[in-house]
Amino acid sequence: AQLSGISTTVQGGEIHLKSPMPGMVITVSAREGQAVEKNEILVILEAMKMQNEIKAPCDGVVTRVNVQPGETIEHNQSLLVISSSQGYE
């Protein structure tokens, strides 16, 4: 499943990608320092027996990964941080 209601917070050019729901982290494909493109799958969450793809909201570089596979997360928890020189709308 793809999620469109992913929450982000922008602080000083950094985009904080947050979990849209509580669940378990299945896969984290992003690594710190990795360049990512808009719509690239970064994290897969399992919630209510469905796997949900969390995609990059913009081009940028992953500056921090806050979760790991197998971790149970809460709604609105920060998953990772992307630095974008192009800005984010």
Side-chain angles (χ1 to χ4, degrees), residues 1-7 18-21 39 43 45 47 50-55 79:
Q2 295 180 8
L3 301 174
S4 58
I6 296 175
S7 174
K18 298 182 178 182
S19 174
M21 65 188 69
N39 293 323
V43 178
L45 295 178
M50 295 276 299
Q51 290 194 357
N52 303 282
E53 298 172 344
I54 308 298
K55 297 181 179 182
L79 303 174

Short mmCIF file of all heavy atoms in Angstrom, two decimals, residues 1-7 18-21 39 43 45 47 50-55 79:
data_model
loop_
_atom_site.label_atom_id
_atom_site.label_comp_id
_atom_site.label_asym_id
_atom_site.label_seq_id
_atom_site.Cartn_x
_atom_site.Cartn_y
_atom_site.Cartn_z
N ALA A 1 0.85 -1.19 0.00
CA ALA A 1 0.00 0.00 0.00
C ALA A 1 0.88 1.24 0.00
O ALA A 1 1.96 1.23 0.56
CB ALA A 1 -0.89 0.00 1.22
N GLN A 2 0.40 2.29 -0.63
CA GLN A 2 1.12 3.55 -0.63
C GLN A 2 0.35 4.54 0.23
O GLN A 2 -0.87 4.57 0.21
CB GLN A 2 1.26 4.09 -2.05
CG GLN A 2 2.10 3.21 -2.93
CD GLN A 2 2.21 3.78 -4.33
OE1 GLN A 2 1.79 4.88 -4.59
NE2 GLN A 2 2.78 3.00 -5.22
N LEU A 3 1.09 5.35 0.96
CA LEU A 3 0.46 6.32 1.85
C LEU A 3 0.67 7.73 1.34
O LEU A 3 1.78 8.10 1.02
CB LEU A 3 1.05 6.20 3.26
CG LEU A 3 0.91 4.83 3.90
CD1 LEU A 3 1.64 4.77 5.22
CD2 LEU A 3 -0.55 4.51 4.11
N SER A 4 -0.39 8.50 1.29
CA SER A 4 -0.25 9.88 0.84
C SER A 4 -0.24 10.86 2.01
O SER A 4 0.20 11.98 1.87
CB SER A 4 -1.38 10.23 -0.12
OG SER A 4 -2.62 10.04 0.51
N GLY A 5 -0.71 10.45 3.18
CA GLY A 5 -0.82 11.36 4.31
C GLY A 5 0.38 11.35 5.23
O GLY A 5 0.24 11.42 6.43
N ILE A 6 1.58 11.25 4.65
CA ILE A 6 2.78 11.19 5.47
C ILE A 6 3.07 12.57 6.03
O ILE A 6 3.08 13.56 5.31
CB ILE A 6 3.95 10.64 4.66
CG1 ILE A 6 3.62 9.21 4.27
CG2 ILE A 6 5.25 10.72 5.45
CD1 ILE A 6 4.61 8.57 3.37
N SER A 7 3.31 12.62 7.32
CA SER A 7 3.57 13.87 8.00
C SER A 7 5.04 14.25 7.91
O SER A 7 5.92 13.41 8.07
CB SER A 7 3.16 13.72 9.48
OG SER A 7 3.50 14.86 10.20
N LYS A 18 7.82 11.67 9.26
CA LYS A 18 7.19 11.07 10.44
C LYS A 18 6.23 9.95 10.05
O LYS A 18 5.67 9.95 8.97
CB LYS A 18 6.45 12.14 11.23
CG LYS A 18 7.39 13.21 11.76
CD LYS A 18 6.67 14.23 12.58
CE LYS A 18 7.64 15.24 13.12
NZ LYS A 18 6.95 16.22 13.96
N SER A 19 6.04 9.04 10.98
CA SER A 19 5.15 7.90 10.75
C SER A 19 3.70 8.36 10.69
O SER A 19 3.23 9.08 11.57
CB SER A 19 5.32 6.89 11.88
OG SER A 19 4.37 5.87 11.73
N PRO A 20 2.96 7.90 9.67
CA PRO A 20 1.55 8.27 9.56
C PRO A 20 0.64 7.44 10.47
O PRO A 20 -0.54 7.73 10.59
CB PRO A 20 1.24 7.99 8.09
CG PRO A 20 2.17 6.89 7.73
CD PRO A 20 3.43 7.13 8.53
N MET A 21 1.22 6.40 11.10
CA MET A 21 0.43 5.51 11.95
C MET A 21 1.36 4.69 12.84
O MET A 21 2.54 4.58 12.54
CB MET A 21 -0.40 4.56 11.08
CG MET A 21 0.46 3.60 10.27
SD MET A 21 -0.47 2.63 9.08
CE MET A 21 -0.94 3.89 7.93
N ASN A 39 9.98 10.31 -4.17
CA ASN A 39 9.18 9.09 -4.33
C ASN A 39 9.98 7.80 -4.19
O ASN A 39 9.44 6.72 -4.39
CB ASN A 39 8.39 9.09 -5.64
CG ASN A 39 7.32 10.15 -5.65
OD1 ASN A 39 6.69 10.40 -4.62
ND2 ASN A 39 7.11 10.78 -6.77
N VAL A 43 11.35 3.55 3.79
CA VAL A 43 10.99 2.71 4.93
C VAL A 43 9.72 1.95 4.57
O VAL A 43 8.84 2.49 3.89
CB VAL A 43 10.73 3.57 6.20
CG1 VAL A 43 10.30 2.70 7.37
CG2 VAL A 43 11.96 4.39 6.58
N LEU A 45 6.65 0.09 6.58
CA LEU A 45 6.01 -0.13 7.88
C LEU A 45 4.92 -1.18 7.73
O LEU A 45 4.24 -1.21 6.71
CB LEU A 45 5.32 1.15 8.37
CG LEU A 45 6.15 2.36 8.69
CD1 LEU A 45 5.21 3.50 9.09
CD2 LEU A 45 7.12 2.06 9.79
N ALA A 47 1.39 -2.18 9.43
CA ALA A 47 0.34 -1.75 10.35
C ALA A 47 -0.94 -2.46 9.94
O ALA A 47 -1.27 -2.49 8.74
CB ALA A 47 0.16 -0.24 10.28
N MET A 50 -0.82 -4.85 7.02
CA MET A 50 -0.56 -4.29 5.68
C MET A 50 0.83 -3.67 5.69
O MET A 50 1.21 -3.03 6.67
CB MET A 50 -1.57 -3.19 5.34
CG MET A 50 -3.00 -3.65 5.22
SD MET A 50 -3.39 -4.30 3.60
CE MET A 50 -3.09 -2.91 2.57
N GLN A 51 1.57 -3.87 4.61
CA GLN A 51 2.87 -3.21 4.49
C GLN A 51 2.69 -1.90 3.74
O GLN A 51 2.03 -1.85 2.70
CB GLN A 51 3.87 -4.12 3.78
CG GLN A 51 4.25 -5.30 4.66
CD GLN A 51 5.47 -6.03 4.17
OE1 GLN A 51 6.04 -5.73 3.14
NE2 GLN A 51 5.88 -7.03 4.94
N ASN A 52 3.23 -0.83 4.31
CA ASN A 52 3.04 0.51 3.79
C ASN A 52 4.39 1.12 3.43
O ASN A 52 5.31 1.11 4.25
CB ASN A 52 2.35 1.38 4.85
CG ASN A 52 1.03 0.79 5.27
OD1 ASN A 52 0.05 0.90 4.57
ND2 ASN A 52 1.01 0.13 6.42
N GLU A 53 4.49 1.67 2.23
CA GLU A 53 5.73 2.27 1.76
C GLU A 53 5.78 3.73 2.17
O GLU A 53 4.86 4.50 1.89
CB GLU A 53 5.81 2.18 0.23
CG GLU A 53 5.83 0.76 -0.27
CD GLU A 53 5.72 0.67 -1.78
OE1 GLU A 53 5.34 1.66 -2.43
OE2 GLU A 53 6.03 -0.41 -2.31
N ILE A 54 6.88 4.12 2.80
CA ILE A 54 7.13 5.51 3.15
C ILE A 54 8.16 6.01 2.15
O ILE A 54 9.27 5.50 2.09
CB ILE A 54 7.66 5.66 4.59
CG1 ILE A 54 6.74 4.95 5.59
CG2 ILE A 54 7.85 7.13 4.94
CD1 ILE A 54 5.33 5.47 5.66
N LYS A 55 7.76 7.01 1.35
CA LYS A 55 8.61 7.49 0.25
C LYS A 55 9.18 8.87 0.56
O LYS A 55 8.58 9.65 1.31
CB LYS A 55 7.80 7.53 -1.04
CG LYS A 55 7.32 6.16 -1.47
CD LYS A 55 6.55 6.25 -2.76
CE LYS A 55 6.08 4.87 -3.20
NZ LYS A 55 5.37 4.92 -4.48
N LEU A 79 10.91 9.20 11.62
CA LEU A 79 11.54 8.02 11.03
C LEU A 79 12.95 8.35 10.55
O LEU A 79 13.88 7.61 10.80
CB LEU A 79 10.71 7.51 9.85
CG LEU A 79 9.25 7.16 10.16
CD1 LEU A 79 8.51 6.81 8.88
CD2 LEU A 79 9.18 6.01 11.15
#
